[in-house]
mmCIF file of all heavy atoms in Angstrom:
data_model
loop_
_atom_site.group_PDB
_atom_site.id
_atom_site.type_symbol
_atom_site.label_atom_id
_atom_site.label_comp_id
_atom_site.label_asym_id
_atom_site.label_seq_id
_atom_site.Cartn_x
_atom_site.Cartn_y
_atom_site.Cartn_z
ATOM 1 N N ILE L 1303 18.901 9.847 -1.294
ATOM 2 C CA ILE L 1303 20.352 9.997 -1.320
ATOM 3 C C ILE L 1303 20.909 10.480 0.084
ATOM 4 O O ILE L 1303 20.313 11.359 0.681
ATOM 5 C CB ILE L 1303 20.750 11.054 -2.374
ATOM 6 C CG1 ILE L 1303 20.128 10.737 -3.725
ATOM 7 C CG2 ILE L 1303 22.229 11.246 -2.474
ATOM 8 C CD1 ILE L 1303 20.572 9.360 -4.321
ATOM 9 N N ASP L 1304 21.959 9.801 0.570
ATOM 10 C CA ASP L 1304 22.438 10.167 1.782
ATOM 11 C C ASP L 1304 23.823 10.939 1.660
ATOM 12 O O ASP L 1304 24.197 11.617 2.656
ATOM 13 C CB ASP L 1304 22.894 8.811 2.620
ATOM 14 C CG ASP L 1304 21.569 8.171 3.103
ATOM 15 O OD1 ASP L 1304 20.697 8.900 3.519
ATOM 16 O OD2 ASP L 1304 21.483 6.944 3.051
ATOM 17 N N ASN L 1305 24.482 10.929 0.568
ATOM 18 C CA ASN L 1305 25.732 11.723 0.333
ATOM 19 C C ASN L 1305 25.959 12.005 -1.105
ATOM 20 O O ASN L 1305 25.287 11.295 -2.010
ATOM 21 C CB ASN L 1305 26.862 10.947 1.037
ATOM 22 C CG ASN L 1305 26.980 9.553 0.448
ATOM 23 O OD1 ASN L 1305 27.287 9.341 -0.595
ATOM 24 N ND2 ASN L 1305 26.877 8.656 1.454
ATOM 25 N N VAL L 1306 26.947 12.774 -1.500
ATOM 26 C CA VAL L 1306 27.206 13.095 -2.891
ATOM 27 C C VAL L 1306 27.748 11.948 -3.657
ATOM 28 O O VAL L 1306 27.488 11.846 -4.959
ATOM 29 C CB VAL L 1306 28.068 14.373 -2.937
ATOM 30 C CG1 VAL L 1306 27.403 15.552 -2.413
ATOM 31 C CG2 VAL L 1306 29.378 14.074 -2.238
ATOM 32 N N ASP L 1307 28.570 11.120 -3.031
ATOM 33 C CA ASP L 1307 29.031 9.910 -3.702
ATOM 34 C C ASP L 1307 27.866 9.051 -4.192
ATOM 35 O O ASP L 1307 27.894 8.518 -5.327
ATOM 36 C CB ASP L 1307 29.986 9.115 -2.810
ATOM 37 C CG ASP L 1307 31.199 9.858 -2.570
ATOM 38 O OD1 ASP L 1307 31.710 10.658 -3.432
ATOM 39 O OD2 ASP L 1307 31.938 9.652 -1.538
ATOM 40 N N GLN L 1308 26.862 8.821 -3.331
ATOM 41 C CA GLN L 1308 25.681 8.015 -3.684
ATOM 42 C C GLN L 1308 24.922 8.752 -4.778
ATOM 43 O O GLN L 1308 24.360 8.153 -5.688
ATOM 44 C CB GLN L 1308 24.771 7.788 -2.491
ATOM 45 C CG GLN L 1308 23.617 6.917 -2.791
ATOM 46 C CD GLN L 1308 22.696 6.671 -1.671
ATOM 47 O OE1 GLN L 1308 22.875 7.315 -0.566
ATOM 48 N NE2 GLN L 1308 21.597 5.952 -1.812
ATOM 49 N N LEU L 1309 24.866 10.089 -4.708
ATOM 50 C CA LEU L 1309 24.242 10.883 -5.745
ATOM 51 C C LEU L 1309 24.813 10.562 -7.154
ATOM 52 O O LEU L 1309 24.088 10.277 -8.136
ATOM 53 C CB LEU L 1309 24.354 12.330 -5.427
ATOM 54 C CG LEU L 1309 23.808 13.350 -6.532
ATOM 55 C CD1 LEU L 1309 22.303 13.509 -6.350
ATOM 56 C CD2 LEU L 1309 24.463 14.740 -6.439
ATOM 57 N N LYS L 1310 26.138 10.606 -7.249
ATOM 58 C CA LYS L 1310 26.735 10.309 -8.569
ATOM 59 C C LYS L 1310 26.549 8.880 -8.999
ATOM 60 O O LYS L 1310 26.342 8.656 -10.136
ATOM 61 C CB LYS L 1310 28.289 10.646 -8.393
ATOM 62 C CG LYS L 1310 28.607 12.150 -8.243
ATOM 63 C CD LYS L 1310 30.153 12.447 -8.318
ATOM 64 C CE LYS L 1310 30.823 12.008 -7.086
ATOM 65 N NZ LYS L 1310 32.218 12.486 -6.985
ATOM 66 N N THR L 1311 26.673 8.017 -8.066
ATOM 67 C CA THR L 1311 26.426 6.554 -8.275
ATOM 68 C C THR L 1311 24.996 6.305 -8.871
ATOM 69 O O THR L 1311 24.832 5.654 -9.941
ATOM 70 C CB THR L 1311 26.639 5.688 -7.188
ATOM 71 O OG1 THR L 1311 27.924 5.836 -6.675
ATOM 72 C CG2 THR L 1311 26.415 4.159 -7.457
ATOM 73 N N GLU L 1312 24.022 6.891 -8.188
ATOM 74 C CA GLU L 1312 22.617 6.746 -8.673
ATOM 75 C C GLU L 1312 22.302 7.355 -9.999
ATOM 76 O O GLU L 1312 21.505 6.874 -10.851
ATOM 77 C CB GLU L 1312 21.688 7.234 -7.634
ATOM 78 C CG GLU L 1312 21.631 6.490 -6.276
ATOM 79 C CD GLU L 1312 21.140 5.077 -6.485
ATOM 80 O OE1 GLU L 1312 20.648 4.727 -7.550
ATOM 81 O OE2 GLU L 1312 21.257 4.295 -5.487
ATOM 82 N N ILE L 1313 22.992 8.524 -10.295
ATOM 83 C CA ILE L 1313 22.851 9.110 -11.605
ATOM 84 C C ILE L 1313 23.334 8.247 -12.726
ATOM 85 O O ILE L 1313 22.751 8.008 -13.675
ATOM 86 C CB ILE L 1313 23.597 10.530 -11.619
ATOM 87 C CG1 ILE L 1313 22.893 11.528 -10.790
ATOM 88 C CG2 ILE L 1313 23.710 11.004 -13.080
ATOM 89 C CD1 ILE L 1313 23.574 12.813 -10.583
ATOM 90 N N LEU L 1314 24.533 7.724 -12.567
ATOM 91 C CA LEU L 1314 25.166 6.845 -13.482
ATOM 92 C C LEU L 1314 24.263 5.537 -13.684
ATOM 93 O O LEU L 1314 24.061 5.106 -14.769
ATOM 94 C CB LEU L 1314 26.607 6.429 -13.060
ATOM 95 C CG LEU L 1314 27.651 7.513 -13.062
ATOM 96 C CD1 LEU L 1314 28.935 7.011 -12.563
ATOM 97 C CD2 LEU L 1314 27.854 8.084 -14.456
ATOM 98 N N SER L 1315 23.778 5.007 -12.557
ATOM 99 C CA SER L 1315 22.997 3.817 -12.698
ATOM 100 C C SER L 1315 21.626 4.102 -13.449
ATOM 101 O O SER L 1315 21.219 3.333 -14.268
ATOM 102 C CB SER L 1315 22.663 3.297 -11.208
ATOM 103 O OG SER L 1315 21.773 2.248 -11.230
ATOM 104 N N SER L 1316 21.055 5.244 -13.012
ATOM 105 C CA SER L 1316 19.715 5.586 -13.711
ATOM 106 C C SER L 1316 20.008 5.864 -15.209
ATOM 107 O O SER L 1316 19.075 5.504 -16.034
ATOM 108 C CB SER L 1316 19.119 6.811 -13.016
ATOM 109 O OG SER L 1316 18.775 6.485 -11.660
ATOM 110 N N LEU L 1317 20.992 6.522 -15.556
ATOM 111 C CA LEU L 1317 21.266 6.822 -16.951
ATOM 112 C C LEU L 1317 21.514 5.479 -17.748
ATOM 113 O O LEU L 1317 20.956 5.350 -18.855
ATOM 114 C CB LEU L 1317 22.521 7.732 -17.151
ATOM 115 C CG LEU L 1317 22.298 9.218 -16.608
ATOM 116 C CD1 LEU L 1317 23.663 9.960 -16.815
ATOM 117 C CD2 LEU L 1317 21.180 9.847 -17.364
ATOM 118 N N MET L 1318 22.191 4.633 -17.137
ATOM 119 C CA MET L 1318 22.502 3.343 -17.853
ATOM 120 C C MET L 1318 21.134 2.551 -17.974
ATOM 121 O O MET L 1318 20.927 1.889 -19.049
ATOM 122 C CB MET L 1318 23.431 2.531 -16.998
ATOM 123 C CG MET L 1318 23.908 1.178 -17.673
ATOM 124 S SD MET L 1318 25.128 0.322 -16.760
ATOM 125 C CE MET L 1318 26.553 1.548 -16.693
ATOM 126 N N HIS L 1319 20.342 2.530 -16.925
ATOM 127 C CA HIS L 1319 19.063 1.818 -17.048
ATOM 128 C C HIS L 1319 18.182 2.411 -18.066
ATOM 129 O O HIS L 1319 17.564 1.590 -18.834
ATOM 130 C CB HIS L 1319 18.407 1.923 -15.636
ATOM 131 C CG HIS L 1319 16.969 1.278 -15.590
ATOM 132 N ND1 HIS L 1319 16.721 -0.049 -15.663
ATOM 133 C CD2 HIS L 1319 15.765 1.905 -15.632
ATOM 134 C CE1 HIS L 1319 15.413 -0.261 -15.672
ATOM 135 N NE2 HIS L 1319 14.849 0.919 -15.616
ATOM 136 N N ILE L 1320 18.007 3.688 -18.112
ATOM 137 C CA ILE L 1320 17.095 4.324 -19.039
ATOM 138 C C ILE L 1320 17.687 4.050 -20.484
ATOM 139 O O ILE L 1320 16.899 3.829 -21.419
ATOM 140 C CB ILE L 1320 17.003 5.819 -18.792
ATOM 141 C CG1 ILE L 1320 16.217 6.054 -17.478
ATOM 142 C CG2 ILE L 1320 16.334 6.548 -19.974
ATOM 143 C CD1 ILE L 1320 16.102 7.536 -17.082
ATOM 144 N N SER L 1321 19.003 4.191 -20.709
ATOM 145 C CA SER L 1321 19.559 3.970 -22.007
ATOM 146 C C SER L 1321 19.267 2.530 -22.542
ATOM 147 O O SER L 1321 19.087 2.365 -23.691
ATOM 148 C CB SER L 1321 21.107 4.239 -21.968
ATOM 149 O OG SER L 1321 21.338 5.574 -21.622
ATOM 150 N N LYS L 1322 19.244 1.609 -21.591
ATOM 151 C CA LYS L 1322 19.040 0.259 -22.059
ATOM 152 C C LYS L 1322 17.606 -0.120 -22.268
ATOM 153 O O LYS L 1322 17.275 -0.968 -23.054
ATOM 154 C CB LYS L 1322 19.632 -0.766 -20.982
ATOM 155 C CG LYS L 1322 21.166 -0.793 -20.987
ATOM 156 C CD LYS L 1322 21.634 -1.825 -19.941
ATOM 157 C CE LYS L 1322 23.203 -1.926 -20.017
ATOM 158 N NZ LYS L 1322 23.682 -2.951 -18.970
ATOM 159 N N THR L 1323 16.738 0.596 -21.477
ATOM 160 C CA THR L 1323 15.289 0.159 -21.602
ATOM 161 C C THR L 1323 14.430 1.095 -22.394
ATOM 162 O O THR L 1323 13.318 0.706 -22.834
ATOM 163 C CB THR L 1323 14.661 0.142 -20.190
ATOM 164 O OG1 THR L 1323 14.883 1.469 -19.527
ATOM 165 C CG2 THR L 1323 15.381 -0.924 -19.281
ATOM 166 N N LYS L 1324 14.920 2.286 -22.859
ATOM 167 C CA LYS L 1324 14.202 3.183 -23.637
ATOM 168 C C LYS L 1324 14.872 3.434 -24.971
ATOM 169 O O LYS L 1324 16.071 3.431 -25.093
ATOM 170 C CB LYS L 1324 14.031 4.529 -22.919
ATOM 171 C CG LYS L 1324 13.363 4.438 -21.561
ATOM 172 C CD LYS L 1324 11.981 4.086 -21.613
ATOM 173 C CE LYS L 1324 11.423 4.104 -20.124
ATOM 174 N NZ LYS L 1324 9.923 3.806 -20.149
ATOM 175 N N LYS L 1325 14.077 3.604 -26.011
ATOM 176 C CA LYS L 1325 14.656 3.890 -27.358
ATOM 177 C C LYS L 1325 14.801 5.455 -27.422
ATOM 178 O O LYS L 1325 13.728 6.165 -27.692
ATOM 179 C CB LYS L 1325 13.732 3.340 -28.423
ATOM 180 C CG LYS L 1325 14.333 3.610 -29.879
ATOM 181 C CD LYS L 1325 13.547 2.730 -30.855
ATOM 182 C CE LYS L 1325 12.255 3.298 -31.133
ATOM 183 N NZ LYS L 1325 11.560 2.600 -32.290
ATOM 184 N N LEU L 1326 15.904 5.917 -27.252
ATOM 185 C CA LEU L 1326 16.132 7.398 -27.231
ATOM 186 C C LEU L 1326 16.857 7.852 -28.478
ATOM 187 O O LEU L 1326 17.712 7.086 -29.006
ATOM 188 C CB LEU L 1326 16.972 7.839 -25.978
ATOM 189 C CG LEU L 1326 16.355 7.375 -24.662
ATOM 190 C CD1 LEU L 1326 17.269 7.744 -23.531
ATOM 191 C CD2 LEU L 1326 15.046 7.967 -24.452
ATOM 192 N N SER L 1327 16.561 9.111 -28.979
ATOM 193 C CA SER L 1327 17.217 9.549 -30.187
ATOM 194 C C SER L 1327 18.650 9.922 -29.860
ATOM 195 O O SER L 1327 19.516 9.490 -30.602
ATOM 196 C CB SER L 1327 16.386 10.789 -30.703
ATOM 197 O OG SER L 1327 15.070 10.371 -31.032
ATOM 198 N N GLY L 1328 18.880 10.814 -28.923
ATOM 199 C CA GLY L 1328 20.247 11.135 -28.610
ATOM 200 C C GLY L 1328 20.829 12.043 -29.716
ATOM 201 O O GLY L 1328 20.153 12.509 -30.591
ATOM 202 N N TRP L 1329 22.170 12.225 -29.607
ATOM 203 C CA TRP L 1329 22.894 13.076 -30.534
ATOM 204 C C TRP L 1329 24.006 12.290 -31.167
ATOM 205 O O TRP L 1329 24.758 11.614 -30.455
ATOM 206 C CB TRP L 1329 23.495 14.266 -29.826
ATOM 207 C CG TRP L 1329 22.380 15.083 -29.135
ATOM 208 C CD1 TRP L 1329 21.679 14.894 -28.046
ATOM 209 C CD2 TRP L 1329 21.970 16.405 -29.597
ATOM 210 N NE1 TRP L 1329 20.824 15.876 -27.778
ATOM 211 C CE2 TRP L 1329 20.979 16.865 -28.676
ATOM 212 C CE3 TRP L 1329 22.317 17.287 -30.655
ATOM 213 C CZ2 TRP L 1329 20.307 18.086 -28.780
ATOM 214 C CZ3 TRP L 1329 21.664 18.475 -30.795
ATOM 215 C CH2 TRP L 1329 20.626 18.780 -29.803
ATOM 216 N N VAL L 1330 24.134 12.290 -32.424
ATOM 217 C CA VAL L 1330 25.157 11.479 -33.063
ATOM 218 C C VAL L 1330 25.896 12.419 -34.046
ATOM 219 O O VAL L 1330 25.332 13.165 -34.763
ATOM 220 C CB VAL L 1330 24.490 10.423 -33.946
ATOM 221 C CG1 VAL L 1330 25.585 9.591 -34.695
ATOM 222 C CG2 VAL L 1330 23.741 9.466 -33.081
ATOM 223 N N ARG L 1331 27.246 12.292 -34.073
ATOM 224 C CA ARG L 1331 28.094 12.968 -34.988
ATOM 225 C C ARG L 1331 28.166 12.213 -36.258
ATOM 226 O O ARG L 1331 28.654 11.085 -36.214
ATOM 227 C CB ARG L 1331 29.464 13.297 -34.386
ATOM 228 C CG ARG L 1331 30.435 14.122 -35.299
ATOM 229 C CD ARG L 1331 31.803 14.168 -34.696
ATOM 230 N NE ARG L 1331 31.774 14.779 -33.394
ATOM 231 C CZ ARG L 1331 31.825 16.054 -33.171
ATOM 232 N NH1 ARG L 1331 31.871 16.843 -34.179
ATOM 233 N NH2 ARG L 1331 31.924 16.464 -31.918
ATOM 234 N N ALA L 1332 27.688 12.660 -37.317
ATOM 235 C CA ALA L 1332 27.633 11.978 -38.597
ATOM 236 C C ALA L 1332 28.550 12.673 -39.606
ATOM 237 O O ALA L 1332 28.415 13.875 -39.797
ATOM 238 C CB ALA L 1332 26.264 11.907 -39.133
ATOM 239 N N THR L 1333 29.395 11.946 -40.224
ATOM 240 C CA THR L 1333 30.259 12.518 -41.260
ATOM 241 C C THR L 1333 29.533 12.326 -42.596
ATOM 242 O O THR L 1333 28.658 11.462 -42.861
ATOM 243 C CB THR L 1333 31.686 11.826 -41.377
ATOM 244 O OG1 THR L 1333 31.463 10.511 -41.700
ATOM 245 C CG2 THR L 1333 32.337 11.956 -39.889
ATOM 246 N N ASP L 1334 30.073 13.036 -43.648
ATOM 247 C CA ASP L 1334 29.463 12.910 -44.997
ATOM 248 C C ASP L 1334 29.657 11.462 -45.516
ATOM 249 O O ASP L 1334 28.744 10.958 -46.164
ATOM 250 C CB ASP L 1334 30.016 13.945 -45.939
ATOM 251 C CG ASP L 1334 29.671 15.284 -45.597
ATOM 252 O OD1 ASP L 1334 28.657 15.487 -44.925
ATOM 253 O OD2 ASP L 1334 30.281 16.253 -46.044
#
């Protein structure tokens, strides 16, 4: 990372990549 703007961009990119390629449980709000 060279600057904070790139930091934020890479975080968003990595989160999107992991969410698409990994089966994650996550947190879901479920109603009755």
Side-chain angles (χ1 to χ4, degrees):
I1303 306 301
D1304 289 321
N1305 53 64
V1306 292
D1307 289 333
Q1308 185 185 0
L1309 176 81
K1310 291 187 286 187
T1311 300
E1312 293 295 351
I1313 289 173
L1314 294 174
S1315 174
S1316 297
L1317 291 178
M1318 184 177 298
H1319 172 75
I1320 291 174
S1321 296
K1322 287 183 176 180
T1323 58
K1324 305 289 184 181
K1325 185 169 70 173
L1326 304 177
S1327 297
W1329 301 73
V1330 178
R1331 184 187 301 277
T1333 66
D1334 290 341

